[in-house]
Amino acid sequence: MQRWGFTYPLDAVPIAAHREVLQQAESLGYTDAWTAEVDQLDGFVPIAPAALWTERMRFGTAIANVFIRGPALLAQQAAAVAEVAPGRFVLGVGASSPAIIENWNGMEMRRPLERVRETVAFLRQVFAGERAANETLGVRGFRLGRRFADPPPIFIAALRKKMLELAGSEGDGVIINWLGPDDVPKVVSVAREAATRAGRGADAFEVVCRIFVIPTDNDAIVQAVARRAIAGYMTTPVYSGFQRWLGRGEALAPMQEAWAAGDRQQATALVPEQVIEDLFVTGDRNACLDKIESYVKNGVTVPVLSFLPAVLDFKELGKRNMELIKELAPR
């Protein structure tokens, strides 16, 4: 079965208004809904009512930040959601970014690879009912007071080689984003090879990819939305490093230099057209579905559509996003 997901909750649509959206999505063939955790809602709370409104849909966090929660709280939140959606919840974890961890939450982002690795090891222990102590995480002894009939799978968000290898060796799947269809084989092969070496069954290893969709033929809207998004993300160390690894370092360098010099307007103007074409899905229904399916052909097992605003009015945006659930349902 080909999985097909979207980013939930839809932008400009209140959680309480999603019952009909989710039920329609389920009837249209969507198998997954994955939350995000940036500057709007947290990753766990929206899943609880959604699980009660649906019958088959799987929910996941993409991602739950391992720095801004204590390890015990992360386990407790996962346990609560897994209990609401037994067998239909995936815990996606990751290191996130300095902006979220340090600038917004006042915490230190230190040794992200180690933090993710030790957090996953801790979660495996407590999900199995064991008492866990972890010097790296500062945990001196914690046992989860609820028991799982079926512990949730743990997926790891990754961009470059070391984190991808960790996802393959220690995770049940990997979560990726900000790449084009042609980038997928390079990224996925690293994780799958690590899964094979670890004896984790590479064929069953899932690849969740958040795909950014600007569903319009209006080039002015595509350019405005895509340029703002690229300038905001590709000037951060994590994502600029990822794009260099994928081979876009030279193309993005002028934009990044202008951003570093404080000229945001010039930086946005210097976003290369080819990068927009690579990283975004645009156009009418068929054009969008063709490109999404190209991600799948290249190794993505769970495409997760993330609709970017193609209209400015807030009320119209919510209405449009609900319409897109139908328009971009799987063929």
Side-chain angles (χ1 to χ4, degrees):
M1 177 186 70
Q2 173 58 57
R3 306 200 75 92
W4 197 266
F6 69 100
T7 297
Y8 162 78
L10 294 173
D11 197 19
V13 180
I15 293 174
H18 275 79
R19 180 197 291 264
E20 185 178 346
V21 174
L22 288 161
Q23 291 173 349
Q24 180 188 49
E26 199 169 52
S27 71
L28 289 169
Y30 286 87
T31 61
D32 286 63
W34 289 74
T35 59
E37 196 171 79
V38 185
D39 59 356
Q40 293 190 23
L41 304 175
D42 84 297
F44 288 99
V45 172
I47 295 175
L52 298 175
W53 294 332
T54 54
E55 297 178 359
R56 301 175 303 280
M57 188 169 286
R58 182 175 70 168
F59 297 92
T61 54
I63 48 89
N65 186 322
V66 300
F67 281 97
I68 63 175
R69 294 175 179 85
L73 178 59
L74 179 57
Q76 289 171 287
Q77 289 181 302
V81 174
E83 205 166 285
V84 177
R88 295 196 289 137
F89 171 61
V90 176
L91 175 60
V93 299
S96 191
S97 69
I100 293 173
I101 296 161
E102 298 181 345
N103 296 356
W104 300 351
N105 285 283
M107 298 180 180
E108 183 183 10
M109 186 176 182
R110 182 172 177 270
R111 296 182 178 177
L113 182 69
E114 180 182 44
R115 180 80 181 191
V116 173
R117 182 179 62 245
E118 295 301 317
T119 298
V120 171
F122 167 83
L123 291 168
R124 299 278 191 206
Q125 281 187 280
V126 299
F127 287 173
E130 300 173 12
R131 182 179 295 276
N134 189 297
E135 184 177 349
T136 300
L137 301 177
V139 179
R140 290 189 287 273
F142 172 76
R143 186 192 300 274
L144 191 62
R146 307 283 277 196
R147 293 293 178 265
F148 285 104
D150 185 17
I154 300 173
F155 289 14
I156 297 174
L159 295 176
R160 285 187 286 174
K161 192 171 186 290
K162 289 183 179 179
M163 197 70 82
L164 288 164
E165 288 176 338
L166 179 66
S169 62
E170 303 298 331
D172 301 301
V174 65
I175 302 167
I176 57 178
N177 72 346
W178 279 113
L179 73 171
D182 292 343
D183 301 319
V184 171
K186 176 177 182 175
V187 172
V188 170
S189 64
V190 177
R192 288 196 184 279
E193 287 169 9
T196 299
R197 291 194 299 271
R200 299 186 65 83
D203 290 341
F205 187 78
E206 292 196 64
V207 179
V208 176
C209 181
R210 176 161 277 125
I211 299 172
F212 298 105
V213 183
I214 311 174
T216 178
D217 287 319
N218 187 319
D219 188 60
I221 292 175
V222 170
Q223 293 289 324
V225 173
R227 287 177 183 280
R228 281 199 305 270
I230 290 172
Y233 270 87
M234 304 311 163
T235 50
T236 64
V238 172
Y239 285 100
S240 62
F242 179 48
Q243 295 303 319
R244 282 196 301 274
W245 184 60
L246 293 176
R248 296 191 183 91
E250 185 176 346
L252 289 168
M255 179 269 291
Q256 292 163 344
E257 290 168 5
W259 186 275
D263 192 340
R264 304 294 193 254
Q265 185 174 357
Q266 178 67 3
T268 302
L270 288 171
V271 172
E273 292 280 349
Q274 185 61 52
V275 175
I276 295 173
E277 184 177 336
D278 290 347
L279 302 185
F280 291 88
V281 171
T282 66
D284 62 16
R285 166 181 161 80
N286 286 329
C288 287
L289 290 177
D290 285 346
K291 188 163 184 179
I292 293 164
E293 288 167 0
S294 68
Y295 281 89
V296 174
K297 290 175 184 176
N298 285 349
V300 169
T301 62
V302 190
V304 177
L305 316 187
S306 184
F307 308 132
L308 297 186
V311 294
L312 297 178
D313 181 82
F314 187 78
K315 290 181 180 179
E316 287 299 314
L317 176 59
K319 179 183 177 182
R320 180 63 182 140
N321 283 342
M322 288 190 286
E323 292 170 349
L324 288 169
I325 289 295
K326 183 176 182 179
E327 291 180 17
L328 294 181
R331 286 173 169 142

